[in-house]
Amino acid sequence: MELRKIDIRLTGESQKLLVREASGVVSEGESVGILGKSGSGKTSLLSVLGLMSKPTGGELLLSGIPTSGLNDAELARRRNEDIGFVFQNYSLIGHLNVFENVALPCSYGKPMSKKQTTEAVTEQLHAVGLEGFEKRRPKSLSGGEQQRVAIARALVRSPRLVLADEPTGALDTATGLQILEHLASATSRAGACLVVVTHDQEIARAMDQTWVLRDAELHHEVKGRR
Ligand SMILES: Nc1ncnc2c1ncn2[C@@H]1O[C@H](COP(=O)(O)OP(=O)(O)OP(=O)(O)O)[C@@H](O)[C@H]1O
Ligand SMILES: [Mg+2]
């Protein structure tokens, strides 16, 4: 994934430039933690990276392909098949059981067969240590277990890019780090990019790169690789 001078301007009265010329490269298998104060534009940037909104300027490349020229159908296809999302809270569907929640992305876009779906869901639930939880409802799970289900769901279609917005906000740092370690190693093994927005400096700095959004600018923290 590559950001080339991405601008994000707020619509409405203020027209404020929320993000100015943000640039960066995330190689296949690499992870990035994004830090920034509340209101600094982290979620807005993530929604651009997830093709849910268009930047005001600049170019976003996914797997080397510029996305500014894609039409709505092509954007939707990439969102469904190539991108996995993990959100902070309430991201699981309450009336669906764990299996059905993880299987949701398999029916988007080009649907996967029932056999492929069962195999992929089983593999992801095993990877997060939740085999045997298939029939449970989200509300019967702990916060950490729910977040592991959300991670299994984000990975079930083997996305090229995984985006996580405060995925550990409701958890203590130790549990959060454990969950992020799993997410980082699973995406790295699959050769996918991982972008994690977090308030937790320890978590952000455990990623391969750390970016900080401050005064509309995206700063890259210099450090050694993990
Ligand atoms: N659709 C919108 N219209 C107008 N303003 C918006 C819109 N979406 C976001 N904003 C504003 O843009 C700023 C950045 O919002 P954003 O959600 O990206 O921040 P954030 O860094 O994710 O904050 P937090 O850490 O609190 O989640 C905020 O001031 C917000 O009020
Ligand atoms: Mg946010």
Side-chain angles (χ1 to χ4, degrees), residues 180-200:
L180 257 298
E181 285 294 334
H182 167 69
L183 196 52
S185 63
T187 46
S188 168
R189 255 183 283 123
C193 303
L194 171 66
V195 180
V196 180
V197 161
T198 176
H199 278 101
D200 194 315

Side-chain angles (χ1 to χ4, degrees), residues 44-193:
S44 306
L45 182 59
L46 216 57
S47 91
V48 166
L49 302 183
L51 306 178
M52 292 181 289
S53 61
K54 293 198 171 195
T56 328
E59 182 66 272
L60 170 70
L61 294 96
L62 293 184
S63 307
I65 299 165
T67 56
S68 62
L70 300 180
N71 64 32
D72 286 349
E74 289 163 336
L75 289 171
R77 192 180 68 77
R78 294 199 152 254
R79 229 171 11 237
N80 291 331
E81 296 175 19
D82 296 344
I83 304 178
F85 297 91
V86 185
F87 299 101
Q88 178 175 357
N89 283 321
Y90 311 113
S91 59
L92 302 178
I93 313 271
H95 66 271
L96 299 180
N97 66 30
V98 165
F99 182 96
E100 292 161 340
N101 266 284
V102 176
L104 269 179
C106 304
S107 57
Y108 300 160
K110 183 165 167 266
M112 287 162 58
S113 73
K114 209 168 169 185
K115 180 161 172 284
Q116 279 176 320
T117 299
T118 304
E119 281 172 8
V121 172
T122 305
E123 184 188 331
Q124 290 305 330
L125 283 177
H126 173 76
V128 294
L130 290 179
E131 57 270 275
F133 282 65
E134 287 81 356
K135 295 256 158 61
R136 299 267 297 267
R137 301 277 161 176
K139 69 169 187 288
S140 77
L141 304 176
S142 74
E145 287 164 350
Q146 290 186 43
Q147 212 42 305
R148 284 189 272 158
V149 175
I151 285 167
R153 182 178 60 187
L155 298 176
V156 75
R157 258 198 117 133
S158 308
R160 308 305 307 149
L161 171 63
V162 176
L163 302 173
D165 198 351
E166 297 284 1
T168 58
L171 308 174
D172 58 276
T173 293
T175 310
L177 266 174
Q178 238 174 30
I179 284 180
L180 257 298
E181 285 294 334
H182 167 69
L183 196 52
S185 63
T187 46
S188 168
R189 255 183 283 123
C193 303

Side-chain angles (χ1 to χ4, degrees), residues 201-221:
Q201 309 226 347
E202 202 177 330
I203 285 172
R205 298 200 166 107
M207 301 295 113
D208 295 319
Q209 296 187 54
T210 309
W211 296 352
V212 183
L213 250 182
R214 194 188 311 124
D215 300 331
E217 295 194 349
L218 191 65
H219 300 268
H220 296 217
E221 278 192 359

Side-chain angles (χ1 to χ4, degrees), residues 10-11 18 37-44 199:
L10 289 179
T11 49
L18 190 60
K37 276 197 247 172
S38 178
S40 60
K42 303 181 298 296
T43 297
S44 306
H199 278 101

